[in-house]
Amino acid sequence: MITLSDIKICVVGLGYVGLPLARLFSTRYPTVGFDIDSRRVEALMQGHDDTLEVEDDLLQEAINNHGFRCTSSLDDIKGCNLYIVAVPTPVDDNNRPDLTPLLRASETVGKVLSQDDIVIYESTVYPGVTEEECLPVIERVSGLKLNVDFYAGYSPERINPGDKEHRVETIRKVTSGSTPEAADLVDDFYNSVLLNGTHKAPSIKVAEASKIIENSQRDVNIAFVNELAKIFNAMGIDTHDVLEAAASKWNFIKLNPGLVGGHCISVDPYYLIQKSQLYGVLPRVMSNARRLNNSMGAYVANQTIRQMNLKGVPVKDARILILGFSFKENCPDIRNTKVVDIYHTLREYTPNITLYDPWVDPAKALGEYGIEIENSKMKIEKTQFDVAILAVAHDAFLSLDLRALVPQPGVIYDVKGILPRTIIDARL
């Protein structure tokens, strides 16, 4: 087995997880990043990350001072001996786990793997995927035998897109290995660059399970608060006032209602839901939470329509401004954004919908969703609307004079609960 002093790293997948990880490891070890998207590789080698997870100065420092490089060529990663797989684990149109990216990445590693190398997976999966799905692919392609010719580990990613406080170097990570010796090496490896250390799990399956329940727990908790919002809105009670009052108790967990999108909380639970049913367990709490959270975009749209009717604002052909398209604040990530549900529900009544998001690349939104995004504040401020819906809590929106954009009797609906009460008509 290799030692820390011998390590040469290849990170497979240079997205929101892989790139920050590769940049960090490059400060201590020879590191190569591999991605099948050649345009992504080219942009990174020019010193810019369009996900904004790695600042340009840090990326350029890694390239110029630490020898970090990115590639789409297998020949460039054959000299590595520690491979980290950090590719997406999406679901299909029926919310069933899609392991295709993970299995293809495993094939890629299998083509370049050598004696005594180590493969570490970071992608979020249900318990058993690493050992039952991925490693057999590597064995088949490489002709090498697990725990005889090569070793494996699992250390689930904990990247939080757009979060500049909980960065990869400050996050405490779970580690595990295919043998006790491999587990020790994987743990030492991550500890060599992390500021807050690790938690070494007793097995790869435990590490996989720990990751999948992190996001499932949050999904269930948010679903509870979203259900409360529906109840209290029906009663004419402000949900945020209720939560503030309840939060005065020391052990109350305060969460706000909202849209649950992104690649983690709104996707990962399906992996555990699917796997648990194979064992004869029907996960009712998680399944109901997923259904409820997925309904919130349409709910927001219908609540907005209700406010329009109350104020006498015609719904048909109304001019509607939706503020925000990314799945969370101050972040360009549009993966599985639930703002599209607000948009599509309202499109049944009017074609005059403007989506404004200064963080989002309009070309990406158009390519992925077929929806046009406006990112010019100047253009927005020259227009008046019948309705404005604040869907994402970007800091940039706080400087807008919304009552100038939406004069009375126009409706302002605040999904995030961040606008002054004096200007809004309702909030989630």
Side-chain angles (χ1 to χ4, degrees):
M1 189 184 301
I2 62 175
T3 64
L4 287 182
S5 60
D6 301 325
I7 285 177
K8 297 179 181 179
I9 301 168
C10 171
V11 177
V12 179
L14 296 175
Y16 283 86
V17 174
L19 181 65
L21 198 66
R23 197 285 310 173
L24 176 61
F25 278 123
S26 74
T27 62
R28 179 164 180 139
Y29 304 100
T31 303
V32 179
F34 178 87
D35 200 288
I36 59 174
D37 186 346
S38 59
R39 289 177 299 179
R40 169 75 169 160
V41 167
E42 182 180 354
L44 292 176
M45 288 307 295
Q46 291 176 355
H48 177 66
D49 169 28
D50 62 9
T51 71
L52 306 182
E53 287 303 299
V54 176
E55 292 86 351
D56 288 355
D57 58 341
L58 288 178
L59 180 56
Q60 292 161 15
E61 179 187 17
I63 294 170
N64 298 326
N65 298 345
H66 302 302
F68 175 59
R69 67 187 191 278
C70 305
T71 184
S72 294
S73 171
L74 286 179
D75 290 337
D76 293 334
I77 65 175
K78 286 181 178 178
C80 299
N81 53 22
L82 190 149
Y83 296 87
I84 301 174
V85 178
V87 297
T89 44
V91 293
D92 63 19
D93 293 339
N94 296 311
N95 293 322
R96 293 175 300 197
D98 180 4
L99 298 178
T100 302
L102 200 56
L103 298 179
R104 287 180 177 170
S106 299
E107 290 177 350
T108 296
V109 172
K111 293 175 182 178
V112 296
L113 201 69
S114 299
Q115 188 80 25
D116 294 329
D117 288 357
I118 293 181
V119 185
I120 302 172
Y121 287 87
E122 289 228 357
S123 305
T124 304
V125 292
Y126 55 76
V129 167
T130 301
E131 294 164 297
E132 298 166 10
E133 303 286 347
C134 298
L135 294 177
V137 171
I138 292 181
E139 288 184 315
R140 173 177 56 80
V141 175
S142 68
L144 301 175
K145 183 70 174 176
L146 177 66
N147 296 332
V148 175
D149 303 310
F150 76 99
Y151 302 87
Y154 182 81
S155 180
E157 61 90 2
R158 279 179 170 168
I159 295 293
N160 186 25
D163 190 338
K164 301 307 178 184
E165 178 183 356
H166 302 98
R167 303 175 65 87
V168 62
E169 56 264 43
T170 64
I171 295 171
R172 189 180 184 199
K173 279 177 63 63
V174 174
T175 65
S176 62
S178 56
T179 68
E181 295 77 17
D184 288 341
L185 179 61
V186 171
D187 196 60
D188 292 341
F189 170 62
Y190 280 96
N191 267 309
S192 69
V193 295
L194 298 178
L195 298 177
N196 292 317
T198 62
H199 173 91
K200 186 166 64 173
S203 70
I204 287 177
K205 286 184 179 179
V206 167
E208 291 170 323
S210 73
K211 169 58 181 179
I212 206 77
I213 70 166
E214 290 174 19
N215 291 331
S216 297
Q217 181 188 65
R218 187 162 174 81
D219 193 40
V220 169
N221 286 342
I222 296 173
F224 171 65
V225 178
N226 278 337
E227 190 165 62
L228 293 180
K230 290 185 174 183
I231 294 170
F232 294 136
N233 285 342
M235 293 179 174
I237 302 172
D238 188 287
T239 304
H240 292 268
D241 287 345
V242 175
L243 294 172
E244 287 293 335
S248 65
K249 189 171 187 287
W250 64 91
N251 61 351
F252 181 81
I253 301 172
K254 185 177 181 295
L255 294 171
N256 291 321
L259 306 175
V260 183
H263 188 66
C264 294
I265 298 176
S266 63
V267 173
D268 295 347
Y270 289 119
Y271 275 70
L272 190 53
I273 289 170
Q274 176 82 4
K275 188 66 173 179
S276 65
Q277 293 179 76
L278 297 178
Y279 286 84
V281 179
L282 181 61
R284 296 185 186 279
V285 173
M286 288 191 297
S287 298
N288 289 337
R290 279 284 70 238
R291 282 191 289 270
L292 195 149
N293 284 338
N294 274 343
S295 73
M296 293 307 292
Y299 176 79
V300 165
N302 288 320
Q303 287 295 106
T304 303
I305 291 170
R306 177 176 179 272
Q307 291 297 321
M308 295 170 70
N309 288 331
L310 289 173
K311 296 189 72 174
V313 178
V315 177
K316 181 174 171 49
D317 296 330
R319 297 164 299 168
I320 298 177
L321 172 65
I322 300 178
L323 297 170
F325 189 70
S326 62
F327 89 89
K328 65 182 295 187
E329 64 274 7
N330 304 321
C331 172
D333 194 346
I334 60 174
R335 292 176 296 175
N336 203 31
T337 174
K338 295 304 176 184
V339 180
V340 297
D341 295 338
I342 301 176
Y343 174 84
H344 286 307
T345 302
L346 292 173
R347 278 280 299 181
E348 297 178 13
Y349 301 92
T350 175
N352 304 317
I353 302 176
T354 300
L355 274 159
Y356 170 53
D357 195 318
W359 281 87
V360 170
D361 180 352
K364 286 190 174 182
L366 186 62
E368 187 167 342
Y369 294 98
I371 295 176
E372 294 185 356
I373 301 293
E374 178 59 59
N375 59 8
S376 169
K377 180 180 179 182
M378 184 179 300
K379 186 173 181 179
I380 292 298
E381 290 182 327
K382 290 181 178 180
T383 311
Q384 286 194 336
F385 301 89
D386 301 306
V387 177
I389 302 172
L390 187 136
V392 185
H394 292 324
D395 291 342
F397 295 153
L398 296 177
S399 63
L400 291 173
D401 185 349
L402 287 180
R403 267 304 164 204
L405 295 177
V406 188
Q408 293 288 3
V411 170
I412 299 178
Y413 190 95
D414 183 6
V415 175
K416 301 299 294 184
I418 64 169
L419 297 176
R421 291 197 190 191
T422 52
I423 70 166
I424 66 172
D425 295 284
R427 58 181 180 174
L428 185 59

